[in-house]
Amino acid sequence: MSQDRVLLGAIKTQQRRVGQTEVGEKAMTLLPLNPHDGLISPFAANGNPFLAPIWRDCTPARLAMSVYCAANDGANFWTITLYISGAFGVAQGSVDTSALAAAQWQPLALTTFAAARWSAASFPIAYLQIVKTGAPGNLYLSPALYVL
């Protein structure tokens, strides 16, 4: 019976940690990425298809995405870059689809950011930029941006 309690305690501890970051027990907040510039997935050209308001100072935690690209390989892929912007844009990091299998929905994430803390007064907008390399297929993209 005591082994069951130990095992149950370990499971509860692990469940509590799911969805939280390594830096503490504060839950992540979703910043809503809204369609921008009239662009709707799937994307065929370079652009800035999503933006989110930064309404409070925050710490970036994760840009989680599901992506699908019918034609995709090491020479034909999409690069997705996260920017924060005020008077000027500052790239926070990027990922690309080059290593993903073609014609499958795949997870893609950005967890390392150029700025450890985002100031809402200086950078009130976050946005995604997508850029083609070579001739990849259309990009289907479903992003979620989390902050602490």
Side-chain angles (χ1 to χ4, degrees), residues 29-32 52-58 119-121 123-125 145 147:
T29 300
L30 176 67
L31 287 183
I54 300 173
W55 66 89
R56 64 173 173 86
D57 292 356
C58 57
S119 166
F123 298 101
I125 297 288
L145 179 57
V147 298

Side-chain angles (χ1 to χ4, degrees), residues 39 42-49 78 130-132 138-139:
L39 300 174
F43 305 106
N46 298 346
N48 301 322
W78 289 89
I130 57 172
V131 176
K132 289 170 136 181
N138 290 352
L139 176 68

Side-chain angles (χ1 to χ4, degrees), residues 8-27:
L8 184 58
I11 290 170
K12 285 182 179 179
T13 298
Q14 185 166 352
Q15 286 176 337
R16 188 176 68 242
R17 291 183 184 163
V18 170
Q20 296 187 1
T21 67
E22 298 294 325
V23 296
E25 294 294 320
K26 188 174 180 181

Side-chain angles (χ1 to χ4, degrees), residues 32-138:
L33 283 159
N34 302 300
H36 180 250
D37 284 345
L39 300 174
I40 298 173
S41 187
F43 305 106
N46 298 346
N48 301 322
F50 294 98
L51 61 82
I54 300 173
W55 66 89
R56 64 173 173 86
D57 292 356
C58 57
T59 301
R62 174 177 286 273
L63 173 60
M65 296 169 280
S66 290
V67 298
Y68 177 98
C69 188
N72 184 67
D73 57 38
N76 302 288
F77 59 90
W78 289 89
T79 300
I80 303 159
T81 304
L82 174 66
Y83 283 86
I84 55 175
S85 184
F88 56 92
V90 178
Q92 293 301 294
S94 64
V95 292
D96 66 57
T97 64
S98 63
L100 300 180
Q104 294 181 31
W105 280 99
Q106 303 265 325
L108 195 58
L110 177 64
T111 56
T112 303
F113 302 90
R117 188 94 173 128
W118 292 352
S119 166
S122 300
F123 298 101
I125 297 288
Y127 67 92
L128 296 183
Q129 178 187 70
I130 57 172
V131 176
K132 289 170 136 181
T133 297
N138 290 352

